[in-house]
Amino acid sequence: QVQLVESGGGLVQPGGSLRLSCAASGFTLDDYAIGWFRQAPGKEREGVSCISSSDAYTYYADSVKGRFTISRDNAKNTVYLQMNGLKPEDTAVYYCVADLASRPDLWIVAGITPGGYWGHGTQVTVSS
C-alpha cells in the first residue's frame, strides 16, 4: 500500500525549531521529487519547499528561505523539513507530497499543485 505519513508537528514558541518527517511506504522516495506544502486556516495551500528526485536542487518559498531546510534520507525512505526561527505565521497543517515532476520548483514559483502521493498532514502551531 502506497502511503506517506508526516510526523514531528506540535506546539512551539516563536523562535523555536521543529523537524518534520515524511516517511514513505509502498514505494521508493528517491525516485520522486518531494514537496512540503502548508495550509493555514482560511488560506489556500501553499508550497513551502521542494527537493528534486536527483537531489540536484532544493527550492524554498521566500517566506521560509534561510529558516527551513529540506533533506532526504534514502536509506530510511524519509524526507525531512527542518524548521528554525519559527514565527506565528508559520502556523499551519504541513503536508508532504511525492511526485514524478521534473520541475518541482514550479510548485512554489507558479503555484502548481502536484497530483502525486499526499500525506494527511501534521499540525504546526507557533505561539507563546
Side-chain angles (χ1 to χ4, degrees):
Q1 180 181 1
V2 171
Q3 195 173 14
L4 282 177
V5 178
E6 302 95 336
S7 61
L11 174 63
V12 64
Q13 292 186 341
S17 298
L18 286 173
R19 188 177 78 158
L20 305 184
S21 300
C22 172
S25 58
F27 68 106
T28 303
L29 267 183
D30 60 0
D31 294 333
Y32 290 76
I34 308 298
W36 283 97
F37 285 71
R38 67 185 181 187
Q39 188 165 20
K43 295 188 177 180
E44 293 187 355
R45 188 175 298 186
E46 63 172 347
V48 173
S49 179
C50 66
I51 184 168
S52 63
S53 59
S54 60
D55 290 358
Y57 69 86
T58 57
Y59 197 87
Y60 300 91
D62 288 343
S63 58
V64 306
K65 200 171 296 181
R67 301 188 296 122
F68 290 11
T69 303
I70 190 171
S71 62
R72 71 165 89 215
D73 184 335
N74 290 332
K76 295 183 178 180
N77 214 25
T78 299
V79 172
Y80 303 98
L81 185 69
Q82 178 67 44
M83 307 187 296
N84 299 327
L86 283 162
K87 304 175 181 180
E89 52 263 42
D90 294 318
T91 296
V93 178
Y94 284 70
Y95 302 87
C96 64
V97 57
D99 190 273
L100 294 172
S102 60
R103 289 284 310 276
D105 56 310
L106 295 179
W107 302 341
I108 299 168
V109 172
I112 295 172
T113 300
Y117 303 124
W118 286 82
H120 291 292
T122 185
Q123 175 70 48
V124 171
T125 302
V126 185
S127 175
S128 55

